Amino acid sequence: DAGVTQSPTHLIKTRGQQVTLRCSPISGHKSVSWYQQVLGQGPQFIFQYYEKEERGRGNFPDRFSARQFPNYSSELNVNALLLGDSALYLCASSLTGGGYGYTFGSGTRLTVV
Amino acid sequence: GESVGLHLPTLSVQEGDNSIINCAYSNSASDYFIWYKQESGKGPQFIIDIRSNMDKRQGQRVTVLLNKTVKHLSLQIAATQPGDSAVYFCAASTDKLIFGTGTRLQVFP
């Protein structure tokens, strides 16, 4: 069975640009969450979606947005990129969200120059 | 809000020894805790979990202990192997996961 898949695996962007990251959950999972992991730190919660609705949002600026599609895949968008947005962006899927049963993808490594 | 912290950034152990990684949390309302292993270039991988109504849970070569009185978690790895080398995170789960900063486990021969 395929796990959580994220694309692209690596990405280099320039300050001020916009980026879209993609995530496909495990088949049957209806919840997707996004986390940002800065080098040397633990992942920080950005968003959670369940059945295409936003269930939670972390302490991130409005430059960060996300959505979930009818097939439960998800996109994370970041506008007006800053150097500090350089990080590993992780997607996790679960059956229903709510803090249980998460499986993480391998992430997208974003470098802002 | 909840915060989670790990006691040591790096732990070095000899192959075959037991490893103990510690973690503290702040919110008494957290009722579910998870340990993750993260290897270089990969996402966090589930190791073992424990609910707040338990003190101890065992898996294959791993044991998690929960002390709710002092809000402390530990992960014990028996007979540590080179393949155990990674960064280990504890996470407290509410409606989302709150991660600690991680402990890097280094296993030397």
Side-chain angles (χ1 to χ4, degrees):
Chain A
D1 285 341
V4 177
T5 58
Q6 293 187 243
S7 63
T9 55
H10 296 81
L11 202 53
I12 299 175
K13 289 286 190 178
T14 304
R15 276 179 298 174
Q17 285 188 314
Q18 176 265 341
V19 68
T20 298
L21 312 180
R22 295 176 175 83
C23 172
S24 293
I26 289 173
S27 178
H29 284 192
K30 298 182 178 181
S31 179
V32 169
S33 299
W34 287 95
Y35 287 78
Q36 180 197 62
Q37 186 176 22
V38 174
L39 194 63
Q41 297 183 18
Q44 298 292 313
F45 172 75
I46 310 175
F47 285 110
Q48 183 184 84
Y49 278 79
Y50 175 68
E51 290 279 18
K52 302 182 289 296
E53 303 230 339
E54 183 180 305
R55 275 277 190 87
R57 183 185 183 118
N59 188 23
F60 281 81
D62 291 343
R63 299 184 296 107
F64 288 76
S65 63
R67 55 180 174 167
Q68 187 178 32
F69 299 98
N71 66 354
Y72 303 111
S73 67
S74 178
E75 287 182 351
L76 175 70
N77 295 283
V78 187
N79 294 322
L81 284 166
L82 303 174
L83 295 179
D85 295 330
S86 295
L88 180 67
Y89 288 86
L90 295 161
C91 173
S93 77
S94 65
L95 280 169
T96 60
Y100 301 98
Y102 289 102
T103 301
F104 281 85
S106 292
T108 294
R109 170 71 62 189
L110 173 65
T111 302
V112 182
V113 297
Chain B
E2 173 74 84
S3 69
V4 178
L6 280 155
H7 292 184
L8 284 175
T10 303
L11 177 65
S12 295
V13 300
Q14 190 164 21
E15 183 178 354
D17 286 352
N18 296 333
S19 303
I20 299 176
I21 302 172
N22 296 301
C23 178
Y25 63 95
S26 64
N27 189 347
S28 299
S30 296
D31 62 358
Y32 179 59
F33 302 89
I34 311 133
W35 281 98
Y36 287 94
K37 172 185 181 183
Q38 188 173 27
E39 296 174 289
S40 180
K42 297 184 179 180
Q45 177 187 1
F46 173 91
I47 302 173
I48 192 168
D49 58 2
I50 189 168
R51 295 190 183 275
S52 59
N53 61 353
M54 303 172 69
D55 297 324
K56 179 179 179 179
R57 191 163 187 224
Q58 288 184 289
Q60 187 176 15
R61 284 201 306 118
V62 294
T63 301
V64 55
L65 299 178
L66 175 61
N67 185 328
K68 295 179 286 293
T69 303
V70 295
K71 299 178 188 175
H72 181 270
L73 277 162
S74 68
L75 175 70
Q76 300 178 2
I77 304 172
T80 311
Q81 302 169 0
D84 296 326
S85 296
V87 179
Y88 290 80
F89 293 96
C90 65
S93 181
T94 53
D95 55 345
K96 59 184 181 290
L97 296 174
I98 300 169
F99 285 84
T101 52
T103 291
R104 178 172 297 280
L105 177 64
Q106 299 175 324
V107 183
F108 58 92

